[in-house]
Amino acid sequence: MDIPLNSSAKSNMDTKENFEKAKKAGISPLPQKNEGNKTNINMTDGVLIPTKKNKHLISSWRITFFGAILLLVCLCAFVTRTNSQGVTTHPYWEIFKFTIKGAPVTFECTIFAIVGAVLIGTLTGLGSVTKNRLINGICGVYVELIRGIPLLVQLLFLYFAVGSIFHMEGIIAAIIALSICFGAYMGEIIRAGIQAIPKGQIEAAKALGLSKSQVFFNITLPQTVKIVLPAIGNEFISMLKDSSLVSVLALSDILKRGREYISRTFLSLQTYLVVALIYLIFTLVLSRLVGLMEERLHRHG
Amino acid sequence: MAKIEIEHLYKDYIKNDGSILHAVKDASLTVKDGDVVVIIGPSGSGKSTLLRTVNGLEKAQAGHIYIDDVDVVNPKTDIRKIREEVGMVFQSFNLFPHISVLNNITLAPTKVLKMKKGEAEELAMSLLKRVGLEDKAKERPSNLSGGQQQRVAIARALAMKPKAMLFDEPTSALDPEMIKEVLDVMIELAEEGMTMLLVTHEMGFARAAAKKVIFMDAGEIIETGTPQDMFTHPQSPRTQDFLNHIL
């Protein structure tokens, strides 16, 4: 997310000023402890998530969303073409009908892979914060390794290289590769979420006699979930877009169906336009849903 | 109630640059059953560290801490059992922000003591009444002022029916007008005969409630005495110097 630089610089200055003031007054300037969960995880990927607070994002979301829908509807409804036999067709409508049939595959990959990624990410995140050095090391290497290799390369490697030894279907390979790849990013999100819980709370819980697992399930976990949910939603959006890479595994997702259509009709401009609009509309709907979810979470404390 | 005996306690830290910091050096003190003992000293003198070794939040390297003759430093001791019996109040309150004030108090009794929910809530309400916050039971901690949060934190610790209480600078993070409401609760607790070990700079509290005041500097206990003796005729020049700065 792009946060305007000058505003953060300004707030830094403000705290510095307060610090100086407090020093002059002879009071030890205590750091402002943040008791609530105001921790924001930096989102590295995905689209901006609009909430009611940032009005300009909502309006730009509206313009893009309704613009995309309007454009798609107009193209499908009003663009006609008459062939040599004098038959009139709606080419965009034909393209839309053909490519949208890839949506179930796209969503299947995305939904299963996000479940897999959350599972792997939870294990990795927990592994990164445990005191066991071996587990720390394994999780760290996994994260570094996966984040350093492009998803497309991972997909091809899993399907063609590993797949030559252990045969697997394209969809399985796609879901596994997406899960492993996003699991690494998810692991970092969950690690950050766990570490965002102030240490004092853990100490207070321990001081009351709670066991390690009681502390985890009653204090750490419920707060971590709240912190990471928006980030996970954002990963889901990224994954929906990146799932288009699975088309290289001969899976009939939206993009692959589009390419099939082009190979028959040579309507590349029209087809890619429709494919782009379909992805855009899906992504915008999802980002709005994530925004609403985040708003709800904030409202409930 | 319980007595706390600390004998020849050592606690070292390895600093980032690899050097060793002796946070607590050969500290010995006794808090008798029902007594209130206040530790004072400049920042970084090891007073908080000493306090935190008593319930095992910091592990001591050498020495003994006996709570009713059970040695906390002994690795065989069940530290959770000790923590059930010794309540602690922190400078930054450390309430759990995701649950209500009531649930902050009932959490440990229901999870650790396996108390029934209704019973725990009844106990929590009586404790909230005692600290004057029964109308805040359903609120989230973030809706409370600092003083109110600290009173809830005291109630939360009391819900475990502790034999002794540790206070780590309980009023240092509070605005001046809120200090009194917290101190009042603490004085009441002292009057009821709670064994208390505190790190605080509230000299008024020390005068009113403390049996003993301990002055620490650079990890060592320099001087011990009654509040009157300490504040009026400190023996050590380091104590005199420190008191001159804060009084």
Side-chain angles (χ1 to χ4, degrees), chain B residues 191-211:
Chain B
E191 282 167 355
E192 284 166 23
M194 175 65 81
T195 308
M196 289 161 74
L197 181 59
L198 308 97
V199 172
T200 182
H201 291 136
E202 290 302 326
M203 299 306 151
F205 173 83
R207 280 208 183 88
K211 193 96 173 196

Side-chain angles (χ1 to χ4, degrees), chain A residues 69 127 147 176 224 267:
Chain A
I69 293 214
R147 291 203 304 189
I176 292 176
T224 304
L267 296 172

Side-chain angles (χ1 to χ4, degrees), chain A residues 202-223:
Chain A
I202 312 293
E203 281 186 346
K206 278 203 229 157
L208 286 164
L210 271 73
S211 68
K212 268 186 184 166
S213 67
Q214 284 172 333
V215 174
F216 179 76
F217 285 108
N218 292 292
I219 309 301
T220 312
L221 186 68
Q223 298 188 71

Side-chain angles (χ1 to χ4, degrees), chain B residues 132-148:
Chain B
L133 292 169
E134 65 267 50
D135 54 327
K136 302 284 183 193
K138 294 273 175 278
E139 298 275 350
R140 284 292 168 90
S142 53
N143 295 336
L144 270 57
S145 72
Q148 291 170 332

Side-chain angles (χ1 to χ4, degrees), chain B residues 111-129:
Chain B
K111 300 290 171 193
V112 180
L113 303 178
K114 308 290 173 206
M115 204 184 271
K116 292 230 165 56
K117 197 172 170 246
E119 202 186 326
E121 281 177 0
E122 228 170 82
L123 170 70
M125 285 312 295
S126 72
L127 286 167
L128 279 175
K129 200 166 177 186

Side-chain angles (χ1 to χ4, degrees), chain B residues 5-18:
Chain B
E5 289 168 291
I6 301 177
E7 292 177 359
H8 305 293
L9 198 81
Y10 287 85
K11 168 75 191 173
D12 298 338
Y13 286 114
I14 298 169
K15 286 198 284 194
N16 287 336
D17 59 7

